[in-house]
Amino acid sequence: MKVVVVASGHGNIPEEVIESVLAKHDIVDTVGKVVHLTKRGKYLWGLCPFHSESTPSFTVTPDRGVFHCFGCGMGGNAIKFRMEIEGLSFPEAVKIMAEESDIPMPEGAGGIQSAHNPEIDRLLQAYEWSAKFYHYLLKNTEHGKAAMDYLRSRKFSDKMIDQFQIGFAPDRWDTLLQFLERRQFDLAEMERGGLLSARSEGKGYIDRFRGRIIFPIANRAGKVVAFAGRILGEGQPKYLNSPESKLFNKSRILYNLHQSKASIRKTRQLVLFEGYGDVISAWESGVHNGVATMGTSLTENHASMIKALADEVVIAYDGDRAGQAAALKALSMLEAVDLRVKVAVIPGGMDPDEFVSQYGGERFREQIIESAVSTVKFKLIYLKKNHILLEEDGKIAYVKEALPIIASLHSSTEREVYLKEIAAELELSYESLKQDCNLLRASMQKNIPEGDNNDKRWNNGRHKKGQVQARALLPAYHAAERSLLSLMFQDSDAAAYVNEHLGEDFNIDDHAAIAAYLYAYYAQGKPPDISRFLSSLQDDRLEKIAASISMMESPPDWSPQVLDDYIREVRKYPVQRMMDKKREEMIEAEKAGDFLRAAQIASEIIALDRQ
């Protein structure tokens, strides 16, 4: 097996920075801020923050600097833990952890702006002060009175207005301009950062936001990086966002993530809204795991961010036609990254904010969020709206569109439930629907390419990231490969011996890749250190596997004989597979009456057995 190792994706972050971050951020302290740990033997144990469990299966090994969950398989070092808990990329996590420990980060390292980029610092300061200024104008001046009256009419409490730092930009050209000018900010920089606009005629600048209620948009660290302004009264556009800048990329930010991430982390569920008002109303209703996109449709970047934070998403978009169409598009994107998805169905074309205002928070939680329907149910509800079901043609057209959705379900019980619902609702024969569904399913299965994972094809994204898998007894070759890697992690001489006598000829691709990375790691003269090695992998799956292997109890000393025994077991497996294949060929030859061929194959099996 040939494994090609490419340069790790550190994003130009120097190795010494990564090593300093790991040295300064003790694994126990890092994990202990989130998980209550109890010492038991050489390990610290706690309830896993990445999946729901009642019995601790999450462990931290202080001397190795790694964590690992025996339930869901999550594992890695302190950097990996911060990445998963806070939904950060590797460069983002290193940057934040370096800042916390006063470790200098070279300019532009990791493809992200340095914490000490003066323009970034000035923009962050300007946004922080501007947010406080707009909030003050809303609550304490005559300018903000009409906006306060509007917010209270929408049932926004003073507590929520303060918590979300809602503000107001008066309908004047230079309110913020003068505020920033007095504080000696560079106005050209403020225009590039989205706080001001250049005059259309002549030189100079004007306020970008005028006559609008201001919703500050914060990044994951809670720093204000943009504004969304809702017009007060009539006019277009209804919402105006800050333009994209060095601080703000709308496809990489979710509104309210900085406040909701603790609840999302705890429940492993995220509620996705369309609007800022929806998030705030839901928060006051007790829904503290809600976020919204930045006045744009969901992107693949958003889906990847959500995948790092949650296992399940409830889409709570507006109940009108446009909102439901957007929900249909979003659920496909979320299911594509293996998230479980439900959809909240809001009656009467209302948006979540309107529903809370009219019926109250308790009813919203129970009837809308907690009663969210499966994606299949939602698709069927959505399809119904396209057809007049009182007419025969409408019934037939609806059934033709609904059956492929139901036929794709892996569970026969689920198929039966939905088919019986349609049969009862449309007064059709359940048996006829079932027969049509089975024929369609058989046709669909014929079109699955050989080797595809059928379960994944048919399960509609129901894979649960945090689900605890039953522990199975590993085949001998698999256990031998893990034992080899465990010893190689602890001793570079053991790795050199395995490299000479086995190389990359592991049977399991992931093991071969880890071994190749480990050979390259030691070739750079680095000492055995599983925490440092994990950072060199930059691959989620390999990190989890390597972290799991590092938890194995291996003897501190090794001998060539021990390694040879494991290597022999590893090399034996492909020969055994070849023998099994030959036995099948021999049986086929005997069935065909080709006894000469069968005898020839039998001698090949004997030769393989001796080998």
Side-chain angles (χ1 to χ4, degrees):
M1 180 183 299
K2 180 66 176 174
V3 178
V4 178
V5 178
V6 295
S8 62
H10 287 163
N12 301 321
I13 298 175
E15 289 291 332
E16 57 267 24
V17 171
I18 297 167
E19 290 169 14
S20 296
V21 163
L22 289 171
K24 289 287 184 78
H25 289 265
D26 178 74
I27 188 70
V28 177
D29 292 341
T30 301
V31 175
K33 291 174 182 174
V34 178
V35 181
H36 177 69
L37 297 169
T38 305
K39 188 166 178 58
R40 198 190 308 163
K42 65 184 288 188
Y43 301 121
L44 295 167
W45 292 78
L47 295 174
C48 181
F50 304 112
H51 80 281
S52 299
E53 62 178 10
S54 54
T55 304
S57 62
F58 179 89
T59 61
V60 173
T61 314
D63 59 333
R64 296 175 187 170
V66 296
F67 72 91
H68 176 69
C69 178
F70 290 99
C72 67
M74 185 65 73
N77 57 20
I79 297 172
K80 180 66 173 178
F81 186 82
R82 290 289 293 270
M83 287 169 63
E84 291 296 327
I85 282 294
E86 299 179 34
L88 303 169
S89 67
F90 183 86
E92 287 170 337
V94 173
K95 175 178 178 288
I96 289 169
M97 294 168 81
E99 287 175 2
E100 292 171 351
S101 301
D102 295 322
I103 298 168
M105 175 76 84
E107 188 77 20
I112 50 182
Q113 293 294 328
S114 166
H116 303 292
N117 182 313
E119 185 173 346
I120 294 292
D121 288 343
R122 288 191 293 271
L123 281 174
L124 286 171
Q125 183 73 79
Y127 266 104
E128 181 186 349
W129 287 358
S130 297
K132 289 176 179 176
F133 178 57
Y134 282 144
H135 185 62
Y136 175 84
L137 291 176
L138 172 71
K139 296 202 70 179
N140 299 285
T141 71
E142 193 65 28
H143 293 298
K145 189 175 183 306
M148 277 297 283
D149 290 343
Y150 169 80
L151 289 168
R152 284 175 175 148
S153 74
R154 295 295 299 267
K155 306 289 178 66
F156 280 50
S157 68
D158 285 357
K159 181 183 175 184
M160 288 299 101
I161 290 170
D162 288 342
Q163 180 165 346
F164 287 86
Q165 211 176 355
I166 301 171
F168 180 69
D171 195 9
R172 295 173 54 184
W173 297 98
D174 61 355
T175 304
L176 187 65
L177 175 71
Q178 290 184 25
F179 175 83
L180 295 171
E181 208 166 19
R182 282 196 299 269
R183 281 152 186 80
Q184 299 182 329
F185 283 104
D186 183 307
L187 299 185
E189 271 187 1
M190 299 301 101
E191 189 269 334
R192 288 196 297 272
L195 284 165
L196 302 175
S197 295
R199 286 184 177 275
S200 56
E201 296 177 4
K203 295 180 180 180
Y205 303 94
I206 57 173
D207 289 6
R208 178 175 179 81
F209 297 96
R210 304 182 302 278
R212 292 179 180 271
I213 295 171
I214 299 296
F215 296 89
I217 298 168
N219 61 17
R220 276 179 285 205
K223 294 185 181 295
V224 179
V225 294
F227 290 133
R230 188 200 188 283
I231 198 159
L232 188 64
E234 300 300 318
Q236 290 295 328
K238 184 178 178 181
Y239 279 97
L240 178 67
N241 283 344
S242 296
E244 296 209 347
S245 67
K246 290 182 177 180
L247 293 181
F248 178 53
N249 181 332
K250 62 187 177 184
S251 69
R252 292 286 301 165
I253 288 183
L254 292 167
Y255 178 72
N256 195 47
L257 182 57
H258 66 297
Q259 292 192 116
S260 64
K261 63 186 178 185
S263 179
I264 295 168
R265 182 170 65 230
K266 184 176 179 180
T267 62
R268 298 300 297 175
Q269 183 197 66
L270 179 147
V271 182
L272 184 64
F273 295 99
E274 282 187 285
Y276 314 108
D278 298 332
V279 171
I280 296 168
S281 294
W283 184 283
E284 196 153 22
S285 303
V287 179
H288 292 170
N289 54 341
V291 301
T293 49
M294 300 291 101
T296 183
S297 57
L298 192 76
T299 66
E300 290 182 3
N301 277 336
H302 288 139
S304 298
M305 286 170 61
I306 292 169
K307 173 67 175 172
L309 294 163
D311 300 322
E312 180 178 274
V313 177
V314 176
I315 300 173
Y317 283 4
D318 294 356
D320 60 13
R321 190 76 182 171
Q324 298 303 281
L328 193 66
K329 182 180 177 183
L331 72 86
S332 299
M333 197 171 292
L334 294 166
E335 284 186 331
V337 293
D338 282 337
L339 280 159
R340 293 194 310 277
V341 185
K342 291 182 178 179
V343 184
V345 180
I346 304 175
M350 288 190 289
D351 61 40
D353 184 22
E354 289 170 338
F355 188 95
V356 171
S357 182
Q358 186 165 334
Y359 297 109
E362 185 177 353
R363 192 165 164 184
F364 175 73
R365 283 197 322 274
E366 293 175 357
Q367 295 186 11
I368 303 300
I369 300 301
E370 294 172 12
S371 301
V373 301
S374 68
T375 55
V376 173
K377 181 74 172 175
F378 173 73
K379 289 173 184 176
L380 296 178
I381 292 170
Y382 185 82
L383 284 179
K384 280 181 197 173
K385 296 175 182 177
N386 295 329
H387 304 287
I388 302 172
L389 300 182
L390 295 174
E391 298 176 357
E392 294 302 315
D393 287 349
K395 286 183 181 181
I396 293 168
Y398 169 61
V399 169
K400 279 184 177 178
E401 291 183 11
L403 281 180
I405 295 170
I406 298 170
S408 69
L409 292 171
H410 180 61
S411 166
S412 58
T413 303
E414 287 185 80
R415 294 198 300 273
E416 181 178 339
V417 167
Y418 291 119
L419 289 173
K420 283 185 174 178
E421 278 186 12
I422 291 176
E425 187 176 9
L426 302 185
E427 298 179 347
L428 298 173
S429 161
Y430 165 70
E431 292 302 326
S432 296
L433 285 175
K434 183 179 179 181
Q435 185 177 355
D436 286 348
C437 184
N438 288 341
L439 287 171
L440 181 59
R441 182 172 167 79
S443 172
M444 292 167 77
Q445 285 179 311
K446 282 180 184 176
N447 293 327
I448 299 175
E450 188 177 350
D452 269 15
N453 182 335
N454 286 0
D455 282 349
K456 187 171 183 180
R457 169 75 181 264
W458 300 103
N459 71 6
N460 268 310
R462 285 178 173 76
H463 171 68
K464 183 176 180 181
K465 177 182 174 184
Q467 196 167 27
V468 177
Q469 302 295 324
R471 295 184 202 169
L473 189 65
L474 295 175
Y477 75 91
H478 191 150
E481 291 186 3
R482 286 174 63 89
S483 296
L484 282 174
L485 288 169
S486 177
L487 290 167
M488 291 161 67
F489 289 158
Q490 298 175 47
D491 195 312
S492 58
D493 289 338
Y497 187 92
V498 175
N499 191 11
E500 182 182 348
H501 293 85
L502 182 66
E504 297 166 7
D505 292 339
F506 288 75
N507 296 293
I508 296 169
D509 289 350
D510 288 336
H511 292 171
I514 291 169
Y517 275 109
L518 193 58
Y519 299 148
Y521 174 85
Y522 284 137
Q524 295 172 40
K526 295 178 181 177
D529 184 331
I530 186 61
S531 181
R532 283 176 63 183
F533 173 65
L534 290 176
S535 286
S536 73
L537 290 175
Q538 287 295 288
D539 180 285
D540 280 347
R541 187 178 66 256
L542 296 184
E543 281 185 69
K544 289 176 185 176
I545 294 168
S548 171
I549 292 171
S550 76
M551 304 298 290
M552 291 175 60
E553 293 292 344
S554 298
D557 299 319
W558 59 274
S559 67
Q561 183 180 347
V562 169
L563 296 180
D564 286 339
D565 288 342
Y566 290 139
I567 291 169
R568 192 177 303 111
E569 201 64 55
V570 172
R571 291 202 180 280
K572 188 195 300 182
Y573 177 65
V575 178
Q576 288 175 330
R577 286 185 63 188
M578 181 64 73
M579 288 171 65
D580 291 341
K581 184 178 179 183
K582 292 289 183 184
R583 287 191 185 98
E584 289 175 7
E585 291 177 4
M586 185 175 72
I587 292 169
E588 290 299 318
E590 288 173 346
K591 285 180 180 178
D594 190 349
F595 298 105
L596 184 62
R597 174 65 180 150
Q600 182 185 349
I601 295 171
S603 65
E604 292 174 2
I605 292 172
I606 292 169
L608 285 170
D609 191 35
R610 286 173 181 161
Q611 180 183 329

